Amino acid sequence: MKAMARFAGAVWLGISLVGAIMAGEQTPWVAPARAAKKANPIAADAQSMARGKQLFTKNCLSCHGETGRGDGPAAKDLERHPGNLSDPKMFEQSDGALFWKITEGNKPMLSFEKTLTPEERWDVVNYVRTLAKKP
């Protein structure tokens, strides 16, 4: 009986996901708990944020835009809208979660694991924090 209930639940979940995809809804992009708990080893000081801004401008601005709103020049050609990094809800995400997302990527966003060093990715996290107003 439990196996049948699990199977029915899995079928319902599958149908729900297909329905959401067909309706154009995006599933939330959530970092694994272990990654989200990772502490930022780089102080969010002026030097880190300046390095992060430079890296953001080079690697992220074309899609996320100058102010992080997802309105960069390349955004219009993407199958999914880039995340709005200026949204105050960004503060609901930990530094570790942002670091994981920058590292892993999520199509159409590229992975920066091999492009940027861990320190550079933390600098980007520190800079991205400046784009959203605290709620």
Side-chain angles (χ1 to χ4, degrees):
M1 190 70 169
K2 283 185 181 180
M4 209 161 114
R6 271 189 256 146
F7 176 74
V11 169
W12 177 251
L13 178 61
I15 290 169
S16 298
L17 287 173
V18 169
I21 291 167
M22 290 179 74
E25 297 174 17
Q26 294 181 18
T27 54
W29 187 22
V30 180
R34 183 174 174 201
K37 290 178 184 174
K38 190 170 188 171
N40 186 338
I42 306 293
D45 58 21
Q47 292 84 10
S48 172
M49 288 186 267
R51 290 188 304 264
K53 182 177 183 176
Q54 195 172 35
L55 292 162
F56 179 89
T57 299
K58 180 180 177 188
N59 297 287
C60 313
L61 186 139
S62 64
C63 296
H64 287 285
E66 192 172 327
T67 59
R69 291 195 169 121
D71 58 354
K76 65 181 175 14
D77 299 325
L78 299 175
E79 61 204 47
R80 283 191 314 179
H81 187 269
N84 181 356
L85 305 176
S86 68
D87 188 329
K89 288 185 178 189
M90 287 294 294
F91 283 96
E92 295 173 7
Q93 297 187 51
S94 68
D95 284 359
L98 296 175
F99 179 84
W100 179 84
K101 290 178 178 186
I102 293 166
T103 301
E104 296 295 318
N106 186 16
K107 192 176 180 184
M109 182 177 154
L110 303 172
S111 162
F112 288 95
E113 183 173 24
K114 294 183 176 149
T115 310
L116 301 176
T117 67
E119 293 80 13
E120 289 172 327
R121 284 179 267 148
W122 286 116
D123 286 336
V124 172
V125 168
N126 288 338
Y127 173 69
V128 164
R129 289 281 184 216
T130 70
L131 298 175
K133 289 185 170 58
K134 287 191 179 184

